[in-house]
Amino acid sequence: MQISGARVLITGAGGGIGASLAVELARRGATELVLVDRDSAALEKMGGNGVKRHVVDVTDGKAVSAFVEKLGGVDLLVNGAGISVPGRFEALSLESIERTLDVNLGAAVRLTRLVLPKMPRGACIVNIASASGLMAPGGLAAY
């Protein structure tokens, strides 16, 4: 896929891999970066030409649907939103485990289903995941 001239949507763009990827894609000539994160302060740090920042909780189905409705098509979707809740599995609340699953997996599924019909032929989807998903390290079982 050619990055130069591409319109890119990145979730989890306020920090970590998402923020680094946004900087690199801008450097490689992406025309428009649509950056999504739930942290408005982190998003405000992301700037530059062609950057559009949107504060959206990717686990809020109605908010995501409304956002995608106005979005239009993108050439590259990067599902990068993710969280980890440290602690022993049996000590974690069911709510925190379900939130982790929804941010790390459910949100990517939901967003992809909504954005895919608006993507042009040859567009790409990238799902950021961790090797920790294959074998959870001690203290991060929900992750």
Side-chain angles (χ1 to χ4, degrees):
M1 171 186 178
Q2 184 170 335
I3 299 302
S4 180
R7 184 169 194 234
V8 180
L9 168 59
I10 304 173
T11 66
I17 293 171
S20 296
L21 190 55
V23 170
E24 181 60 22
L25 291 171
R27 189 186 73 73
R28 292 184 183 215
T31 303
E32 184 179 336
L33 294 172
V34 180
L35 307 181
V36 172
D37 204 286
R38 65 185 173 145
D39 184 345
S40 61
L43 272 181
E44 284 303 315
K45 296 176 185 175
M46 304 299 295
N49 293 335
V51 173
K52 294 184 178 178
R53 296 177 291 280
H54 299 272
V55 178
V56 179
D57 179 346
V58 293
T59 66
D60 180 340
K62 288 183 181 179
V64 171
S65 291
F67 166 71
V68 172
E69 184 74 28
K70 298 175 188 172
L71 176 66
V74 295
D75 302 300
L76 174 60
L77 166 61
V78 179
N79 288 304
I83 61 170
S84 63
V85 179
R88 295 183 50 83
F89 186 76
E90 66 275 11
L92 296 175
S93 69
L94 182 56
E95 180 181 78
S96 67
I97 294 169
E98 288 174 340
R99 173 100 175 136
T100 301
L101 289 169
D102 200 20
V103 171
N104 296 358
L105 176 62
V109 170
R110 196 168 19 261
L111 187 61
T112 300
R113 285 184 50 90
L114 292 168
V115 172
L116 187 59
K118 298 178 176 226
M119 296 178 83
R121 189 180 226 7
C124 293
I125 298 169
V126 174
N127 296 310
I128 306 292
S130 169
S132 294
L134 300 174
M135 187 171 74
L140 286 176
Y143 181 69

